[in-house]
Short mmCIF file of all heavy atoms in Angstrom, two decimals:
data_model
loop_
_atom_site.label_atom_id
_atom_site.label_comp_id
_atom_site.label_asym_id
_atom_site.label_seq_id
_atom_site.Cartn_x
_atom_site.Cartn_y
_atom_site.Cartn_z
N THR A 111 -145.87 -57.13 -156.19
CA THR A 111 -147.27 -57.51 -156.28
C THR A 111 -147.66 -58.25 -155.01
O THR A 111 -146.97 -59.19 -154.60
CB THR A 111 -147.50 -58.43 -157.50
OG1 THR A 111 -146.96 -57.80 -158.65
CG2 THR A 111 -148.97 -58.69 -157.72
N ASN A 112 -148.73 -57.82 -154.38
CA ASN A 112 -149.20 -58.43 -153.13
C ASN A 112 -150.55 -59.10 -153.35
O ASN A 112 -151.43 -58.53 -154.00
CB ASN A 112 -149.32 -57.38 -152.03
CG ASN A 112 -147.97 -56.85 -151.63
OD1 ASN A 112 -147.11 -57.58 -151.18
ND2 ASN A 112 -147.77 -55.55 -151.80
N TYR A 113 -150.66 -60.29 -152.80
CA TYR A 113 -151.90 -61.07 -152.90
C TYR A 113 -152.36 -61.47 -151.50
O TYR A 113 -151.56 -61.59 -150.58
CB TYR A 113 -151.66 -62.37 -153.67
CG TYR A 113 -151.27 -62.18 -155.10
CD1 TYR A 113 -149.95 -62.03 -155.47
CD2 TYR A 113 -152.24 -62.19 -156.10
CE1 TYR A 113 -149.59 -61.87 -156.80
CE2 TYR A 113 -151.89 -62.03 -157.43
CZ TYR A 113 -150.57 -61.87 -157.77
OH TYR A 113 -150.22 -61.71 -159.08
N ARG A 114 -153.64 -61.69 -151.40
CA ARG A 114 -154.22 -62.33 -150.21
C ARG A 114 -154.73 -63.67 -150.69
O ARG A 114 -155.51 -63.75 -151.64
CB ARG A 114 -155.34 -61.48 -149.62
CG ARG A 114 -155.85 -62.03 -148.30
CD ARG A 114 -156.93 -61.12 -147.72
NE ARG A 114 -157.26 -61.57 -146.38
CZ ARG A 114 -157.08 -60.85 -145.29
NH1 ARG A 114 -156.60 -59.63 -145.38
NH2 ARG A 114 -157.41 -61.33 -144.11
N VAL A 115 -154.25 -64.76 -150.03
CA VAL A 115 -154.57 -66.11 -150.47
C VAL A 115 -155.17 -66.88 -149.30
O VAL A 115 -154.64 -66.86 -148.18
CB VAL A 115 -153.30 -66.85 -150.98
CG1 VAL A 115 -153.65 -68.25 -151.47
CG2 VAL A 115 -152.61 -66.05 -152.07
N LYS A 116 -156.29 -67.55 -149.56
CA LYS A 116 -156.89 -68.44 -148.55
C LYS A 116 -156.04 -69.70 -148.44
O LYS A 116 -155.73 -70.34 -149.43
CB LYS A 116 -158.30 -68.86 -148.96
CG LYS A 116 -159.35 -67.86 -148.59
CD LYS A 116 -159.85 -68.17 -147.19
CE LYS A 116 -161.03 -67.29 -146.88
NZ LYS A 116 -160.91 -66.67 -145.58
N GLY A 117 -155.68 -70.03 -147.21
CA GLY A 117 -154.90 -71.24 -146.99
C GLY A 117 -155.78 -72.47 -146.82
O GLY A 117 -157.00 -72.37 -146.68
N ASP A 118 -155.15 -73.60 -146.80
CA ASP A 118 -155.89 -74.86 -146.66
C ASP A 118 -156.48 -75.03 -145.27
O ASP A 118 -157.37 -75.82 -145.06
CB ASP A 118 -155.00 -76.06 -147.02
CG ASP A 118 -153.82 -76.21 -146.07
OD1 ASP A 118 -153.52 -75.27 -145.32
OD2 ASP A 118 -153.20 -77.29 -146.10
N ASN A 119 -155.99 -74.27 -144.30
CA ASN A 119 -156.47 -74.38 -142.92
C ASN A 119 -157.29 -73.16 -142.50
O ASN A 119 -157.35 -72.83 -141.34
CB ASN A 119 -155.28 -74.56 -141.99
CG ASN A 119 -154.27 -73.43 -142.15
OD1 ASN A 119 -154.47 -72.50 -142.93
ND2 ASN A 119 -153.19 -73.51 -141.40
N GLU A 120 -157.89 -72.46 -143.50
CA GLU A 120 -158.71 -71.27 -143.29
C GLU A 120 -157.91 -70.07 -142.80
O GLU A 120 -158.48 -69.07 -142.39
CB GLU A 120 -159.88 -71.56 -142.34
CG GLU A 120 -160.89 -72.54 -142.91
CD GLU A 120 -161.47 -72.09 -144.25
OE1 GLU A 120 -161.84 -70.91 -144.41
OE2 GLU A 120 -161.54 -72.95 -145.15
N THR A 121 -156.59 -70.18 -142.80
CA THR A 121 -155.73 -69.04 -142.51
C THR A 121 -155.51 -68.29 -143.81
O THR A 121 -155.30 -68.90 -144.85
CB THR A 121 -154.37 -69.51 -141.93
OG1 THR A 121 -154.61 -70.22 -140.73
CG2 THR A 121 -153.45 -68.33 -141.66
N ASP A 122 -155.54 -66.98 -143.76
CA ASP A 122 -155.20 -66.19 -144.93
C ASP A 122 -153.70 -65.89 -144.91
O ASP A 122 -153.10 -65.72 -143.84
CB ASP A 122 -155.97 -64.86 -144.94
CG ASP A 122 -157.43 -65.04 -145.33
OD1 ASP A 122 -157.84 -66.19 -145.62
OD2 ASP A 122 -158.15 -64.04 -145.35
N TYR A 123 -153.12 -65.82 -146.10
CA TYR A 123 -151.71 -65.54 -146.25
C TYR A 123 -151.51 -64.34 -147.16
O TYR A 123 -152.26 -64.14 -148.11
CB TYR A 123 -150.96 -66.75 -146.84
CG TYR A 123 -150.95 -67.93 -145.91
CD1 TYR A 123 -151.98 -68.86 -145.90
CD2 TYR A 123 -149.90 -68.11 -145.01
CE1 TYR A 123 -151.98 -69.93 -145.03
CE2 TYR A 123 -149.88 -69.18 -144.13
CZ TYR A 123 -150.92 -70.09 -144.15
OH TYR A 123 -150.92 -71.16 -143.29
N ARG A 124 -150.50 -63.56 -146.85
CA ARG A 124 -150.08 -62.48 -147.74
C ARG A 124 -148.89 -63.02 -148.53
O ARG A 124 -147.88 -63.42 -147.95
CB ARG A 124 -149.66 -61.24 -146.96
CG ARG A 124 -149.17 -60.11 -147.88
CD ARG A 124 -148.89 -58.80 -147.14
NE ARG A 124 -150.14 -58.27 -146.58
CZ ARG A 124 -150.48 -58.28 -145.30
NH1 ARG A 124 -149.67 -58.78 -144.41
NH2 ARG A 124 -151.63 -57.77 -144.90
N VAL A 125 -149.04 -63.05 -149.84
CA VAL A 125 -147.96 -63.50 -150.72
C VAL A 125 -147.45 -62.27 -151.46
O VAL A 125 -148.23 -61.55 -152.08
CB VAL A 125 -148.44 -64.57 -151.71
CG1 VAL A 125 -147.33 -64.95 -152.67
CG2 VAL A 125 -148.97 -65.80 -150.97
N THR A 126 -146.15 -62.04 -151.36
CA THR A 126 -145.51 -60.92 -152.04
C THR A 126 -144.57 -61.47 -153.10
O THR A 126 -143.71 -62.30 -152.79
CB THR A 126 -144.72 -60.04 -151.05
OG1 THR A 126 -145.63 -59.55 -150.06
CG2 THR A 126 -144.05 -58.88 -151.75
N ILE A 127 -144.76 -61.01 -154.33
CA ILE A 127 -143.91 -61.42 -155.44
C ILE A 127 -143.19 -60.17 -155.94
O ILE A 127 -143.83 -59.22 -156.38
CB ILE A 127 -144.72 -62.07 -156.57
CG1 ILE A 127 -145.46 -63.30 -156.04
CG2 ILE A 127 -143.81 -62.44 -157.75
CD1 ILE A 127 -146.43 -63.94 -157.04
N ASN A 128 -141.87 -60.18 -155.83
CA ASN A 128 -141.04 -59.06 -156.31
C ASN A 128 -140.45 -59.45 -157.66
O ASN A 128 -139.84 -60.51 -157.79
CB ASN A 128 -139.94 -58.74 -155.31
CG ASN A 128 -140.49 -58.19 -154.02
OD1 ASN A 128 -141.22 -57.20 -154.04
ND2 ASN A 128 -140.18 -58.82 -152.91
N LEU A 129 -140.63 -58.59 -158.62
CA LEU A 129 -140.16 -58.83 -159.98
C LEU A 129 -139.12 -57.78 -160.37
O LEU A 129 -139.12 -56.68 -159.83
CB LEU A 129 -141.32 -58.76 -160.98
CG LEU A 129 -142.51 -59.68 -160.73
CD1 LEU A 129 -143.64 -59.38 -161.70
CD2 LEU A 129 -142.09 -61.14 -160.81
N ILE A 130 -138.28 -58.15 -161.34
CA ILE A 130 -137.32 -57.20 -161.90
C ILE A 130 -137.34 -57.35 -163.41
O ILE A 130 -137.55 -58.45 -163.94
CB ILE A 130 -135.90 -57.43 -161.32
CG1 ILE A 130 -134.97 -56.29 -161.75
CG2 ILE A 130 -135.35 -58.79 -161.69
CD1 ILE A 130 -133.69 -56.21 -160.94
N ASN A 131 -137.16 -56.24 -164.09
CA ASN A 131 -137.13 -56.23 -165.56
C ASN A 131 -135.89 -55.45 -165.97
O ASN A 131 -135.84 -54.24 -165.83
CB ASN A 131 -138.40 -55.57 -166.09
CG ASN A 131 -138.49 -55.60 -167.59
OD1 ASN A 131 -137.50 -55.49 -168.29
ND2 ASN A 131 -139.70 -55.74 -168.09
N LYS A 132 -134.88 -56.18 -166.47
CA LYS A 132 -133.64 -55.53 -166.89
C LYS A 132 -133.50 -55.45 -168.40
O LYS A 132 -132.91 -54.53 -168.91
CB LYS A 132 -132.42 -56.27 -166.32
CG LYS A 132 -132.23 -56.08 -164.85
CD LYS A 132 -130.94 -56.73 -164.41
CE LYS A 132 -130.70 -56.52 -162.94
NZ LYS A 132 -129.49 -57.20 -162.50
N ALA A 133 -133.98 -56.43 -169.09
CA ALA A 133 -133.76 -56.50 -170.55
C ALA A 133 -135.09 -56.67 -171.28
O ALA A 133 -135.16 -57.36 -172.29
CB ALA A 133 -132.81 -57.65 -170.87
N GLY A 134 -136.13 -56.06 -170.74
CA GLY A 134 -137.43 -56.15 -171.41
C GLY A 134 -138.26 -57.35 -171.00
O GLY A 134 -139.37 -57.53 -171.49
N GLU A 135 -137.75 -58.19 -170.11
CA GLU A 135 -138.48 -59.38 -169.65
C GLU A 135 -138.56 -59.36 -168.13
O GLU A 135 -137.58 -59.10 -167.45
CB GLU A 135 -137.75 -60.66 -170.09
CG GLU A 135 -137.67 -60.86 -171.58
CD GLU A 135 -139.02 -61.18 -172.21
OE1 GLU A 135 -139.84 -61.84 -171.54
OE2 GLU A 135 -139.24 -60.77 -173.35
N TRP A 136 -139.75 -59.65 -167.62
CA TRP A 136 -139.91 -59.73 -166.17
C TRP A 136 -139.36 -61.05 -165.67
O TRP A 136 -139.48 -62.07 -166.33
CB TRP A 136 -141.38 -59.60 -165.80
CG TRP A 136 -141.90 -58.21 -166.01
CD1 TRP A 136 -142.66 -57.77 -167.05
CD2 TRP A 136 -141.65 -57.07 -165.19
NE1 TRP A 136 -142.91 -56.42 -166.91
CE2 TRP A 136 -142.30 -55.97 -165.79
CE3 TRP A 136 -140.94 -56.87 -164.01
CZ2 TRP A 136 -142.26 -54.69 -165.23
CZ3 TRP A 136 -140.90 -55.60 -163.46
CH2 TRP A 136 -141.57 -54.53 -164.07
N GLU A 137 -138.74 -61.01 -164.47
CA GLU A 137 -138.23 -62.20 -163.80
C GLU A 137 -138.56 -62.10 -162.31
O GLU A 137 -138.69 -61.00 -161.76
CB GLU A 137 -136.71 -62.30 -163.95
CG GLU A 137 -136.25 -62.46 -165.38
CD GLU A 137 -134.72 -62.50 -165.47
OE1 GLU A 137 -134.04 -61.77 -164.71
OE2 GLU A 137 -134.23 -63.27 -166.31
N VAL A 138 -138.65 -63.25 -161.65
CA VAL A 138 -138.89 -63.29 -160.20
C VAL A 138 -137.59 -62.90 -159.50
O VAL A 138 -136.55 -63.51 -159.75
CB VAL A 138 -139.33 -64.70 -159.75
CG1 VAL A 138 -139.49 -64.74 -158.23
CG2 VAL A 138 -140.61 -65.11 -160.44
N ASP A 139 -137.65 -61.88 -158.66
CA ASP A 139 -136.47 -61.47 -157.90
C ASP A 139 -136.52 -62.03 -156.48
O ASP A 139 -135.50 -62.33 -155.90
CB ASP A 139 -136.37 -59.94 -157.88
CG ASP A 139 -134.95 -59.47 -157.64
OD1 ASP A 139 -134.01 -60.11 -158.15
OD2 ASP A 139 -134.79 -58.44 -156.96
N SER A 140 -137.72 -62.14 -155.94
CA SER A 140 -137.92 -62.79 -154.63
C SER A 140 -139.40 -62.99 -154.43
O SER A 140 -140.22 -62.36 -155.11
CB SER A 140 -137.34 -61.94 -153.49
OG SER A 140 -138.05 -60.73 -153.35
N LEU A 141 -139.74 -63.88 -153.53
CA LEU A 141 -141.14 -64.02 -153.14
C LEU A 141 -141.20 -64.59 -151.75
O LEU A 141 -140.28 -65.21 -151.27
CB LEU A 141 -141.96 -64.83 -154.14
CG LEU A 141 -141.61 -66.27 -154.47
CD1 LEU A 141 -142.24 -67.22 -153.47
CD2 LEU A 141 -142.14 -66.59 -155.84
N GLY A 142 -142.30 -64.30 -151.09
CA GLY A 142 -142.47 -64.77 -149.74
C GLY A 142 -143.93 -64.80 -149.34
O GLY A 142 -144.79 -64.23 -150.04
N SER A 143 -144.20 -65.47 -148.24
CA SER A 143 -145.57 -65.52 -147.73
C SER A 143 -145.54 -65.44 -146.22
O SER A 143 -144.62 -65.95 -145.59
CB SER A 143 -146.29 -66.79 -148.20
OG SER A 143 -145.71 -67.92 -147.61
#
Side-chain angles (χ1 to χ4, degrees):
T111 308
N112 292 300
Y113 296 88
R114 187 178 188 117
V115 182
K116 276 272 187 227
D118 64 346
N119 56 1
E120 295 303 315
T121 300
D122 285 358
Y123 293 87
R124 178 174 295 107
V125 176
T126 301
I127 301 173
N128 293 305
L129 304 173
I130 189 164
N131 184 324
K132 287 186 178 177
E135 296 290 327
W136 289 102
E137 297 178 323
V138 176
D139 204 37
S140 66
L141 60 85
S143 67

